[in-house]
């Protein structure tokens, strides 16, 4: 037990050494704070004495001083310089005070620890001088006294270990590093869950029909039912098939979106009467679309043709692979069954891969342009989530060098290459395409229909769409089959024709947007949704026909 007592004394001496080290450390911190303060005072003194002649010229009179101050603000360059130096000094003084406050807090915390350890070391030392515990040199040791001594030592050892564990984190860098790693891991886990939940919520929001849009469609149909005599079918204008005019293809079930696209084209066209819009929708929205353009005729004499998918009888399951695939039980289970009950957890967590819009005929109509419009030579395809800001007639004058498709490329560095959209682990993809080939944008494309017919691009599309029935070549959408169909048949256009990302990227340059002929709200944050990005939304809403009575009644936020 004598050894144990001496160990307690050694612990006390060790603590004293630590105390001295900590005191010297904080003395050093205080010394640094004092040095910073002295440097600040010296700098301020030097500033105030740099231009004594200017200072001595200040008038002693109060009015004269105010007059001099006013003139200095207006014309004295030294005043600006002085204000800048004052600001610099003040900023650094604030920074020094902040560090000093933190140092004081550290000093207070360490002082508390020092006091606790000093008290504990003193308690250990006091055991040796406690009456009845002078064991070294004694011939006989009382067992009861020994037990009492052992009990007190164990109690103090327990307290010492508890205090050391609590304080160890402040001194052990390995513990600090591990705790930081654990915190980073936990935050990353939470971030991953938040991103996953946000993606699902965003996807659900993007697929939803806003109340205002539903209201508009219902009002238009109600108008059609209430006044059928005003909406009788009219003979189509000869301009619809005139290849010398500028023709646009627009496929959508969104009335307000189509009206914005058409209106933005016409308002920025130099000769709007030469522009023809071919709008195709589904049967459910056909009446609403026709009523809109009958109530609000396009300005400038532009022409609009409105049809339903069902008006083209060749679009049936025996000819169109997408329609045939939708009839299979596999595809119906894939898109329409309750994924929480029937799908794998991995697929169920990724809602976008289960969105039926990617197999919608309206989405795939773009691959049948030559058959939809057999008398035309060139067509400009536009998505319904674009806004046109400039005259587009220059696109018809671009020489495509025999290519079928004119589009803006979207790749930079290693991003948006073919490998991003196609499954290059599949031998069919790997053998037929270059993984580093540059992808391009669907949404504003000038198509040479004569070259299309010559190259038999629709047959190419059919071939690959049939091969992808089980989604082994690509996952979803029309861009991957488009990249395949027009591989080596696409000419790159200047990027100012088409700027993308307004539906997901908040960091697009305003100059880039301002100089663009077409801006594209691709992504989930469509401009007609509540989740749209506010900094871009006004570029779309300014083309909404706010004078239309149903738009006002349905509250489109104008």
């Amino acid at each position: 037990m004598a050894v144990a007592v001496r160990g307690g004394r050694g612990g006390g001496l060790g603590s004293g050494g630590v105390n001295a080290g900590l005191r010297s450390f904080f003395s050093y911190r205080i010394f640094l704070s004092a040095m910073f303060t002295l440097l600040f005072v010296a700098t301020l003194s030097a500033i105030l004495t740099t231009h004594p002649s200017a200072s001595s010229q200040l008038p002693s009179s109060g009015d004269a001083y105010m007059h001099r101050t006013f003139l200095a603000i207006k014309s004295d360059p030294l005043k600006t310089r002085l204000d800048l130096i004052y600001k610099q000094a003040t900023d650094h003084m604030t920074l020094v005070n902040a560090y000093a406050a933190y140092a004081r807090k550290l000093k207070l915390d360490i002082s508390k620890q020092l006091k606790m350890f000093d008290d504990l070391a003193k308690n250990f030392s006091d055991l040796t001088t406690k009456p009845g515990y002078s064991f070294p040199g004694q011939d006989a040791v009382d067992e009861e006294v020994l037990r009492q001594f052992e009990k007190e030592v164990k109690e103090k050892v327990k307290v010492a270990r508890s205090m050391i564990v609590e304080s160890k984190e402040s001194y052990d860098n390995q513990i600090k590093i591990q705790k930081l790693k654990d915190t980073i891991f936990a935050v990353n886990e939470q971030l991953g869950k938040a991103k996953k939940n946000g993606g699902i919520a965003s996807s659900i929001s993007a697929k939803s029909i806003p109340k205002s849009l539903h209201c508009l469609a219902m009002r238009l149909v109600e108008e059609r039912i209430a006044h059928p005599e005003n909406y009788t079918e009219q003979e189509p204008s000869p301009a619809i098939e005139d290849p010398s005019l500028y023709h646009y293809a627009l496929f959508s079930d969104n009335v307000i979106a189509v009206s914005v696209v058409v209106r933005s084209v016409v308002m920025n066209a130099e000769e709007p009467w030469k522009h023809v819009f071919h709008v195709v929708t589904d049967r459910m929205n056909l009446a609403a679309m026709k009523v809109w353009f009958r109530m609000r005729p396009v300005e400038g004499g532009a022409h609009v043709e409105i049809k339903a998918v069902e008006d083209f009888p060749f679009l049936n399951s025996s000819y169109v692979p997408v329609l045939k695939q939708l009839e299979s039980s596999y595809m119906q289970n894939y898109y329409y069954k309750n994924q929480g009950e029937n799908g794998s957890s991995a697929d169920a967590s990724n809602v976008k891969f289960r969105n039926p819009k990617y197999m919608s005929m309206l989405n795939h109509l773009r691959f049948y342009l030559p058959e939809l419009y057999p008398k035309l030579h060139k067509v400009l395809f536009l998505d319904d989530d674009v806004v046109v800001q400039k005259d587009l007639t220059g696109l018809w004058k671009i020489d495509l060098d025999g290519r079928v498709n004119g589009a803006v490329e979207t790749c930079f560095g290693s991003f948006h290459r073919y490998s991003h959209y196609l499954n290059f682990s599949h031998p069919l993809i790997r053998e037929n395409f270059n993984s580093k080939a540059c992808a391009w944008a669907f949404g504003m494309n000038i198509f040479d229909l004569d070259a299309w017919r010559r190259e038999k691009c629709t047959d190419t599309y059919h071939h690959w769409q049939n091969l992808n029935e089980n989604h082994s070549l690509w996952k979803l959408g029309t861009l991957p089959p488009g990249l395949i169909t027009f591989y080596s048949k696409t000419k790159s256009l200047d990027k100012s024709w088409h700027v993308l990302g307004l539906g997901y990227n908040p960091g697009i340059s305003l100059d880039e947007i301002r100089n663009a002929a077409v801006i594209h709200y691709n992504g989930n944050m469509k401009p007609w949704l509540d989740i749209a990005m506010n900094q871009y939304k006004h570029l779309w809403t300014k083309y909404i026909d706010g004078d239309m009575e149903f738009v006002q009644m349905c509250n489109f936020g104008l």
Side-chain angles (χ1 to χ4, degrees), residues 427-479:
L428 279 176
I429 296 295
R430 191 169 56 250
E431 292 166 8
N432 288 277
F433 306 99
N434 180 2
S435 63
K436 296 182 180 179
C438 190
W440 41 265
F442 242 151
M444 190 223 68
N445 306 80
I446 184 72
F447 287 111
D448 185 334
L449 301 186
D450 293 331
W452 186 318
R453 298 180 185 104
R454 183 180 68 248
E455 297 288 344
K456 298 181 179 180
C457 291
T458 302
D459 292 341
T460 302
Y461 160 71
H462 282 175
H463 171 73
W464 287 98
Q465 189 68 43
N466 281 322
L467 291 174
N468 193 49
E469 184 174 4
N470 61 356
H471 299 91
S472 61
L473 306 183
W474 67 86
K475 285 293 184 184
L476 53 81
T478 53
L479 181 55

XYZ file of all heavy atoms in Angstrom, residues 427-479:
451
model
N -23.784 -5.226 -74.878
C -22.947 -5.340 -76.095
C -23.529 -4.629 -77.312
O -22.766 -4.097 -78.131
C -22.862 -6.853 -76.312
C -23.965 -7.448 -75.501
C -24.168 -6.537 -74.335
N -24.849 -4.575 -77.446
C -25.442 -3.902 -78.606
C -25.122 -2.403 -78.605
O -24.840 -1.815 -79.650
C -26.962 -4.111 -78.623
C -27.468 -5.441 -79.176
C -28.980 -5.532 -79.021
C -27.070 -5.605 -80.630
N -25.190 -1.799 -77.435
C -24.876 -0.372 -77.315
C -23.380 -0.156 -77.506
O -22.939 0.745 -78.239
C -25.336 0.171 -75.946
C -26.864 0.089 -75.810
C -24.868 1.603 -75.754
C -27.625 0.963 -76.760
N -22.584 -0.970 -76.859
C -21.123 -0.815 -76.900
C -20.569 -0.959 -78.319
O -19.627 -0.268 -78.701
C -20.491 -1.839 -75.956
C -19.013 -1.634 -75.705
C -18.509 -2.493 -74.564
N -18.762 -3.904 -74.751
C -19.634 -4.621 -74.042
N -20.343 -4.041 -73.093
N -19.796 -5.919 -74.261
N -21.177 -1.841 -79.117
C -20.661 -2.112 -80.460
C -21.110 -1.092 -81.501
O -20.480 -0.976 -82.560
C -21.106 -3.512 -80.903
C -20.461 -4.636 -80.108
C -21.159 -5.972 -80.326
O -22.047 -6.016 -81.216
O -20.845 -6.938 -79.611
N -22.176 -0.354 -81.220
C -22.748 0.526 -82.242
C -22.550 2.019 -81.983
O -22.749 2.834 -82.897
C -24.245 0.253 -82.386
C -24.535 -1.072 -83.063
O -24.527 -1.161 -84.289
N -24.789 -2.106 -82.266
N -22.153 2.382 -80.751
C -22.075 3.810 -80.430
C -20.810 4.113 -79.646
O -20.252 3.238 -78.976
C -23.315 4.247 -79.631
C -24.612 3.920 -80.297
C -25.338 2.802 -79.920
C -25.098 4.704 -81.325
C -26.521 2.476 -80.545
C -26.282 4.396 -81.960
C -27.001 3.271 -81.574
N -20.392 5.363 -79.731
C -19.218 5.836 -79.009
C -19.671 6.445 -77.686
O -20.455 7.398 -77.669
C -18.480 6.879 -79.857
C -17.245 7.419 -79.160
O -16.892 6.999 -78.050
N -16.576 8.354 -79.802
N -19.186 5.909 -76.591
C -19.626 6.385 -75.270
C -19.253 7.838 -75.022
O -19.888 8.522 -74.213
C -19.018 5.507 -74.169
O -17.602 5.606 -74.187
N -18.230 8.348 -75.728
C -17.792 9.732 -75.528
C -18.446 10.707 -76.506
O -18.124 11.896 -76.498
C -16.270 9.813 -75.658
C -15.525 9.038 -74.582
C -14.023 9.180 -74.721
C -13.276 8.404 -73.641
N -11.810 8.533 -73.797
N -19.344 10.219 -77.343
C -20.032 11.112 -78.284
C -20.843 12.141 -77.516
O -21.385 11.861 -76.445
C -20.936 10.293 -79.207
N -20.929 13.331 -78.070
C -21.576 14.447 -77.381
C -23.094 14.368 -77.531
O -23.622 14.229 -78.636
C -21.056 15.764 -77.948
S -21.569 17.194 -76.989
N -23.793 14.470 -76.422
C -25.257 14.497 -76.456
C -25.740 15.893 -76.842
O -24.995 16.870 -76.817
C -25.817 14.102 -75.103
N -27.019 15.971 -77.205
C -27.618 17.249 -77.596
C -29.002 17.355 -76.963
O -29.485 16.413 -76.340
C -27.699 17.352 -79.132
C -28.120 16.081 -79.810
C -27.309 15.130 -80.342
C -29.460 15.598 -79.990
N -28.031 14.088 -80.844
C -29.361 14.344 -80.645
C -30.713 16.094 -79.675
C -30.497 13.591 -80.978
C -31.839 15.349 -80.000
C -31.728 14.108 -80.656
N -29.624 18.500 -77.108
C -30.880 18.774 -76.402
C -32.088 18.500 -77.287
O -32.129 18.903 -78.452
C -30.906 20.230 -75.935
N -33.076 17.828 -76.732
C -34.399 17.724 -77.331
C -35.241 18.850 -76.734
O -35.233 19.054 -75.526
C -35.035 16.372 -77.001
C -35.312 15.517 -78.211
C -35.296 14.135 -78.097
C -35.605 16.068 -79.443
C -35.552 13.320 -79.189
C -35.861 15.268 -80.547
C -35.835 13.888 -80.422
N -35.979 19.549 -77.565
C -36.835 20.633 -77.058
C -36.881 21.807 -78.005
O -37.865 22.551 -78.040
N -35.819 21.991 -78.770
C -35.804 22.943 -79.871
C -34.899 22.352 -80.943
O -33.680 22.434 -80.852
C -35.295 24.313 -79.438
C -35.508 25.376 -80.506
S -34.132 26.494 -80.779
C -32.930 25.422 -81.495
N -35.516 21.715 -81.925
C -34.772 20.990 -82.963
C -35.334 21.328 -84.335
O -36.545 21.265 -84.547
C -34.890 19.480 -82.741
C -34.489 19.053 -81.349
O -35.265 19.176 -80.407
N -33.286 18.544 -81.203
N -34.460 21.713 -85.249
C -34.870 21.937 -86.637
C -34.619 20.634 -87.401
O -33.491 20.129 -87.436
C -34.122 23.135 -87.270
C -34.651 23.404 -88.671
C -32.630 22.991 -87.206
C -36.029 23.999 -88.732
N -35.669 20.063 -87.963
C -35.572 18.773 -88.650
C -35.739 18.951 -90.160
O -36.696 19.616 -90.602
C -36.649 17.804 -88.145
C -36.391 17.272 -86.761
C -37.195 17.659 -85.693
C -35.358 16.386 -86.528
C -36.970 17.171 -84.429
C -35.125 15.885 -85.252
C -35.931 16.276 -84.203
N -34.816 18.379 -90.907
C -34.933 18.297 -92.362
C -35.697 17.008 -92.668
O -35.136 15.901 -92.588
C -33.538 18.271 -93.005
C -33.602 18.302 -94.528
O -34.625 17.856 -95.104
O -32.624 18.750 -95.147
N -36.986 17.137 -92.995
C -37.834 15.955 -93.178
C -37.471 15.172 -94.428
O -37.655 13.947 -94.469
C -39.305 16.378 -93.211
C -39.820 17.115 -91.957
C -41.325 17.339 -92.058
C -39.487 16.344 -90.686
N -36.940 15.836 -95.447
C -36.506 15.115 -96.647
C -35.319 14.208 -96.322
O -35.259 13.042 -96.748
C -36.130 16.105 -97.753
C -37.341 16.890 -98.260
O -38.455 16.333 -98.199
O -37.173 18.041 -98.700
N -34.345 14.742 -95.564
C -33.202 13.921 -95.144
C -33.663 12.807 -94.211
O -33.138 11.685 -94.262
C -32.166 14.802 -94.450
N -34.634 13.094 -93.379
C -35.200 12.085 -92.469
C -35.747 10.905 -93.270
O -35.461 9.744 -92.966
C -36.302 12.744 -91.639
C -36.924 11.914 -90.550
C -37.284 10.611 -90.612
C -37.259 12.379 -89.240
N -37.845 10.210 -89.431
C -37.842 11.271 -88.563
C -37.152 13.603 -88.581
C -38.318 11.368 -87.247
C -37.620 13.695 -87.276
C -38.186 12.594 -86.615
N -36.547 11.230 -94.288
C -37.136 10.161 -95.106
C -36.045 9.375 -95.837
O -36.123 8.146 -95.962
C -38.121 10.774 -96.095
C -39.309 11.491 -95.436
C -40.271 12.091 -96.464
N -41.327 12.856 -95.807
C -41.378 14.187 -95.760
N -40.423 14.908 -96.349
N -42.356 14.798 -95.136
N -35.045 10.087 -96.306
C -33.965 9.432 -97.044
C -33.177 8.483 -96.137
O -32.794 7.383 -96.544
C -33.028 10.502 -97.623
C -31.897 9.939 -98.482
C -31.008 11.046 -99.022
N -30.245 11.713 -97.977
C -30.445 12.976 -97.603
N -31.379 13.722 -98.183
N -29.715 13.514 -96.629
N -32.922 8.884 -94.909
C -32.143 8.081 -93.969
C -32.986 7.031 -93.246
O -32.441 6.222 -92.479
C -31.480 8.998 -92.926
C -30.488 9.988 -93.503
C -29.206 9.309 -93.956
O -28.965 8.151 -93.553
O -28.440 9.941 -94.707
N -34.320 7.073 -93.432
C -35.239 6.119 -92.793
C -35.063 6.100 -91.269
O -34.925 5.053 -90.627
C -35.044 4.717 -93.366
C -35.332 4.616 -94.853
C -35.151 3.208 -95.371
C -35.463 3.147 -96.868
N -35.294 1.768 -97.414
N -35.087 7.298 -90.695
C -34.825 7.432 -89.251
C -35.934 6.821 -88.405
O -35.664 6.295 -87.310
C -34.642 8.910 -88.891
S -33.135 9.639 -89.559
N -37.164 6.881 -88.875
C -38.256 6.289 -88.096
C -38.076 4.781 -87.975
O -38.343 4.187 -86.925
C -39.618 6.630 -88.725
O -39.766 8.052 -88.796
C -40.758 6.060 -87.891
N -37.601 4.146 -89.045
C -37.333 2.708 -88.983
C -36.218 2.403 -87.968
O -36.281 1.402 -87.231
C -36.922 2.180 -90.361
C -38.064 2.215 -91.362
O -39.232 2.305 -90.909
O -37.794 2.155 -92.576
N -35.218 3.263 -87.922
C -34.145 3.090 -86.936
C -34.695 3.176 -85.519
O -34.354 2.364 -84.647
C -33.059 4.165 -87.145
O -32.553 4.085 -88.468
C -31.930 4.003 -86.147
N -35.546 4.159 -85.308
C -36.176 4.328 -83.988
C -36.986 3.081 -83.617
O -36.893 2.583 -82.482
C -37.044 5.578 -84.002
C -38.091 5.611 -82.918
C -37.737 5.790 -81.586
C -39.443 5.464 -83.221
C -38.700 5.813 -80.590
C -40.409 5.488 -82.246
C -40.032 5.665 -80.935
O -40.980 5.685 -79.939
N -37.775 2.570 -84.557
C -38.573 1.376 -84.294
C -37.690 0.192 -83.918
O -37.990 -0.565 -82.981
C -39.413 1.023 -85.528
C -40.623 1.881 -85.692
N -41.464 1.800 -86.780
C -41.140 2.863 -84.908
C -42.440 2.676 -86.661
N -42.258 3.335 -85.533
N -36.597 0.037 -84.622
C -35.694 -1.098 -84.373
C -35.181 -1.076 -82.931
O -35.256 -2.089 -82.215
C -34.527 -1.044 -85.363
C -33.440 -2.017 -85.076
N -33.572 -3.375 -85.298
C -32.183 -1.835 -84.562
C -32.456 -3.984 -84.938
N -31.594 -3.082 -84.489
N -34.679 0.051 -82.503
C -34.087 0.130 -81.173
C -35.144 0.154 -80.073
O -34.920 -0.383 -78.982
C -33.187 1.359 -81.075
C -31.913 1.178 -81.844
C -31.630 1.628 -83.096
C -30.761 0.459 -81.412
N -30.382 1.243 -83.485
C -29.814 0.526 -82.471
C -30.422 -0.233 -80.251
C -28.563 -0.070 -82.383
C -29.180 -0.818 -80.167
C -28.264 -0.749 -81.215
N -36.285 0.758 -80.335
C -37.352 0.772 -79.318
C -37.867 -0.647 -79.072
O -38.166 -1.023 -77.927
C -38.504 1.683 -79.779
C -39.553 1.940 -78.710
C -39.046 2.785 -77.562
O -38.352 3.773 -77.753
N -39.378 2.376 -76.341
N -37.948 -1.450 -80.113
C -38.351 -2.849 -79.942
C -37.326 -3.626 -79.121
O -37.672 -4.476 -78.303
C -38.532 -3.524 -81.312
C -39.856 -3.155 -81.961
O -40.876 -3.031 -81.285
N -39.843 -2.964 -83.275
N -36.042 -3.330 -79.320
C -34.995 -4.033 -78.580
C -34.982 -3.649 -77.093
O -34.454 -4.402 -76.263
C -33.621 -3.721 -79.188
C -33.332 -4.295 -80.580
C -32.006 -3.769 -81.105
C -33.315 -5.822 -80.534
N -35.555 -2.509 -76.778
C -35.482 -2.001 -75.408
C -36.755 -2.270 -74.602
O -37.043 -1.580 -73.637
C -35.197 -0.489 -75.422
C -34.801 0.031 -74.057
O -33.928 -0.542 -73.401
N -35.432 1.105 -73.613
N -37.493 -3.271 -74.969
C -38.757 -3.547 -74.275
C -38.544 -3.805 -72.791
O -39.368 -3.453 -71.956
C -39.459 -4.738 -74.931
C -40.829 -5.023 -74.337
C -41.568 -6.107 -75.084
O -40.977 -6.688 -76.010
O -42.733 -6.372 -74.747
N -37.435 -4.418 -72.429
C -37.161 -4.715 -71.013
C -36.267 -3.666 -70.344
O -35.709 -3.912 -69.269
C -36.524 -6.092 -70.880
C -35.202 -6.174 -71.628
O -34.804 -5.224 -72.315
N -34.517 -7.301 -71.505
N -36.082 -2.512 -70.975
C -35.291 -1.402 -70.425
C -33.831 -1.765 -70.186
O -33.191 -1.226 -69.282
C -35.893 -0.887 -69.115
C -37.280 -0.361 -69.253
N -38.392 -1.149 -69.089
C -37.741 0.876 -69.562
C -39.475 -0.434 -69.267
N -39.106 0.804 -69.569
N -33.294 -2.637 -70.980
C -31.895 -3.031 -70.791
C -30.925 -2.109 -71.528
O -29.744 -2.066 -71.205
C -31.684 -4.470 -71.268
O -31.990 -4.589 -72.650
N -31.425 -1.329 -72.512
C -30.546 -0.446 -73.289
C -30.539 0.980 -72.731
O -29.524 1.651 -72.742
C -30.978 -0.434 -74.757
C -31.079 -1.806 -75.439
C -31.443 -1.635 -76.912
C -29.775 -2.572 -75.309
N -31.681 1.434 -72.284
C -31.793 2.729 -71.593
C -33.005 2.669 -70.700
O -33.877 1.809 -70.859
C -31.867 3.902 -72.584
C -33.120 3.935 -73.426
C -34.325 4.495 -73.109
C -33.281 3.395 -74.744
N -35.228 4.336 -74.125
C -34.611 3.669 -75.154
C -32.433 2.719 -75.620
C -35.114 3.281 -76.393
C -32.928 2.329 -76.858
C -34.249 2.605 -77.239
N -33.078 3.600 -69.759
C -34.108 3.512 -68.732
C -35.421 4.183 -69.126
O -36.488 3.624 -68.949
C -33.602 4.115 -67.419
C -32.618 3.234 -66.671
C -33.302 1.979 -66.164
C -32.322 1.136 -65.334
N -32.940 -0.140 -64.920
N -35.371 5.408 -69.591
C -36.614 6.151 -69.770
C -36.437 7.274 -70.774
O -35.338 7.596 -71.200
C -37.073 6.737 -68.423
C -36.060 7.589 -67.630
C -35.994 9.010 -68.141
C -36.406 7.592 -66.167
N -37.585 7.884 -71.154
C -37.586 9.124 -71.917
C -37.396 8.949 -73.408
O -37.245 7.857 -73.936
N -37.389 10.092 -74.095
C -37.221 10.130 -75.546
C -35.832 10.571 -75.974
O -35.467 10.393 -77.141
C -38.251 11.101 -76.160
O -38.152 12.370 -75.508
C -39.665 10.559 -76.007
N -35.053 11.141 -75.048
C -33.711 11.576 -75.439
C -32.800 10.395 -75.793
O -32.124 10.442 -76.828
C -33.085 12.448 -74.352
C -31.682 12.982 -74.650
C -31.652 13.739 -75.973
C -31.173 13.869 -73.524
